[in-house]
Amino acid sequence: MGIDRESPYFRDLFRSMHQNSHTSSWSLMSGKDGEEVVAHYGCNTWGLEQSLGSYISSFLTKMFETEKNKYIVWAYNDVGLILISELPIWVTNRSLYVANPVSQECVEIPSHAHLKEVSCPLGIATRTENGILLDYRVVLFDEDLRLLIYSSHTGLWSLNTVDSYPLALYTQSPISLHGSIHWIASTSHSVDVVVSIDLYATGTSSVQCRVTSFPDFGQHPKFNRSFSTCQGSLMYMNIIKVDEDKLCVWRLNSGEWQLVSEITPPFIDTGFEYIQLGTNPFDAKTVYFWSMKHQTLLSINLHNGKFVFETKLLSSINPGLFFHSVVLPQWLYRIPNTMRIV
């Protein structure tokens, strides 16, 4: 007899066995073309034989065999789901899918009159409880930069106007965490800010918005601003001038930035030929860069300032790209049964 992975007993047993596990499969993905840059797999929790990027690539090939070049993974979610949409980025009457590439589940999002207009996918937010995925919400922007929101719980689309967020989207893909979607935007004064929308807000509004300035506001950092994730939090790092140039790493906690590390890395003195990649998703004091000179991955231990040239890179990197980490969660959540096609 097979094991029902939806059984509360099995779910609780599995989670209790891995509650002290600090590693899981994860990958660093290029946000422009979806290429996998760094892969860590075969870890304690799941022991996968392939990287997450391989599962995603094979899933897309299987799902869209005849039109695979017309589809793209637009967003990744913190419970392991991906949002798939048609290309190009802005298109009318697009098809949308929510999938779990590891369990090979996929659902098609019902169409709506709003989707016949030009729209752009923003992300996917989720609500979970006791290891069960209760609801997911797919979010798009329309031409007027209003939010189009689909709820799997109701099976309906809604149109929402959030007046307090800046209108200009930044180039980095939004990040989904704990039922909220975060992205970088530019204000009318060309100031970078973090915009966060809570899709499961309670109170008078179904969507709550928060705008947060960066911790190096008013300074001139070395890198274009971007963020990554670590243990369920947004992380930001950059090189700024304090008394001297320092590499600083911050964590966003309840709308406020907390300084995690501040060091003077050796490569500052040797010329700046590096591209910022992000933070290790399980260790806030391990960060990654790409060395253009050596064409290799550079990891920095912020505990002692030591850096190591790695050989784990899967593809080359060009300036101007942005990156985000995709982490397999502790539990493979089953997608609510709405128009399931796989």
Side-chain angles (χ1 to χ4, degrees), residues 322-338:
F322 55 91
F323 309 90
H324 47 255
S325 55
V326 181
V327 183
L328 193 68
Q330 191 181 38
W331 182 251
L332 287 179
Y333 297 91
R334 187 170 181 81
I335 304 174
N337 190 16
T338 304

Side-chain angles (χ1 to χ4, degrees), residues 56-57 63 74 78 87 109 113 121 163 193 200 220 226 235 240 249 252 281 298 302 327 339:
I56 293 172
S57 177
M63 274 296 304
W74 184 257
D78 55 337
L87 288 172
I109 305 303
D163 296 328
V193 293
Y200 295 95
H220 300 285
S226 64
M235 307 295 295
I240 61 173
V249 179
L252 187 62
L298 171 69
L302 300 179
V327 183
M339 296 183 66

Side-chain angles (χ1 to χ4, degrees), residues 45-328:
T45 303
W46 295 108
L48 298 182
E49 297 180 355
Q50 302 178 53
S51 67
L52 294 182
S54 298
Y55 281 99
I56 293 172
S57 177
S58 62
F59 176 78
L60 292 178
T61 301
K62 173 186 174 182
M63 274 296 304
F64 310 110
E65 186 174 358
T66 60
E67 299 182 357
K68 60 184 178 181
N69 293 327
K70 295 183 179 180
Y71 291 84
I72 184 175
V73 176
W74 184 257
Y76 304 87
N77 180 268
D78 55 337
V79 303
L81 304 185
I82 59 176
L83 177 62
I84 304 168
S85 76
E86 291 178 285
L87 288 172
I89 293 176
W90 291 91
V91 70
T92 58
N93 201 27
R94 70 167 68 245
S95 297
L96 293 167
Y97 304 86
V98 171
N100 185 322
V102 176
S103 64
Q104 300 283 289
E105 292 179 284
C106 184
V107 297
E108 183 174 3
I109 305 303
S111 185
H112 189 275
H114 286 307
L115 298 182
K116 295 180 181 179
E117 304 170 358
V118 175
S119 61
C120 178
L122 176 66
I124 173 173
T126 52
R127 181 167 62 96
T128 62
E129 184 177 309
N130 297 325
I132 299 175
L133 177 58
L134 301 178
D135 177 53
Y136 61 84
R137 297 191 178 182
V138 175
V139 184
L140 291 79
F141 275 118
D142 69 3
E143 285 183 292
D144 299 320
L145 294 180
R146 296 172 300 181
L147 300 180
L148 302 176
I149 303 174
Y150 171 78
S151 169
S152 68
H153 180 69
T154 63
L156 301 174
W157 285 91
S158 62
L159 188 63
N160 195 298
T161 300
V162 182
D163 296 328
S164 58
Y165 64 79
L167 298 183
L169 280 175
Y170 200 67
T171 54
Q172 178 170 354
S173 292
I175 288 179
S176 173
L177 286 173
H178 313 306
S180 295
I181 298 177
H182 313 266
W183 72 93
I184 298 175
S186 181
T187 68
S188 57
H189 301 290
S190 300
V191 176
D192 292 338
V193 293
V194 177
V195 182
S196 304
I197 54 171
D198 184 351
L199 276 300
Y200 295 95
T202 57
T204 58
S205 175
S206 60
V207 176
Q208 289 184 356
C209 177
R210 169 180 280 172
V211 177
T212 306
S213 298
F214 278 94
D216 53 5
F217 169 75
Q219 300 198 45
H220 300 285
K222 297 282 188 181
F223 299 108
N224 291 331
R225 290 187 172 97
S226 64
F227 43 47
S228 55
T229 60
C230 180
Q231 296 181 320
S233 297
L234 280 182
M235 307 295 295
Y236 170 67
M237 69 173 174
N238 223 314
I239 291 180
I240 61 173
K241 193 171 187 63
V242 187
D243 296 326
E244 57 182 341
D245 284 345
K246 289 185 178 294
L247 172 63
C248 298
V249 179
W250 293 270
R251 174 186 287 111
L252 187 62
N253 186 12
S254 300
E256 296 185 357
W257 292 104
Q258 299 176 340
L259 185 64
V260 174
S261 298
E262 180 184 273
I263 68 167
T264 303
F267 62 65
I268 291 180
D269 299 327
T270 61
F272 212 77
E273 299 174 343
Y274 298 86
I275 298 173
Q276 175 188 191
L277 300 183
T279 308
N280 184 293
F282 298 100
D283 180 8
K285 293 202 172 185
T286 300
V287 296
Y288 300 102
F289 292 83
W290 167 250
S291 169
M292 291 182 286
K293 178 180 179 181
H294 297 93
Q295 290 291 294
T296 188
L297 177 70
L298 171 69
S299 67
I300 301 179
N301 184 328
L302 300 179
H303 291 280
N304 52 30
K306 292 183 178 179
F307 64 97
V308 177
F309 288 107
E310 308 274 2
T311 58
K312 302 174 183 177
L313 206 72
L314 302 182
S315 61
S316 60
I317 292 177
N318 298 315
L321 295 179
F322 55 91
F323 309 90
H324 47 255
S325 55
V326 181
V327 183
L328 193 68

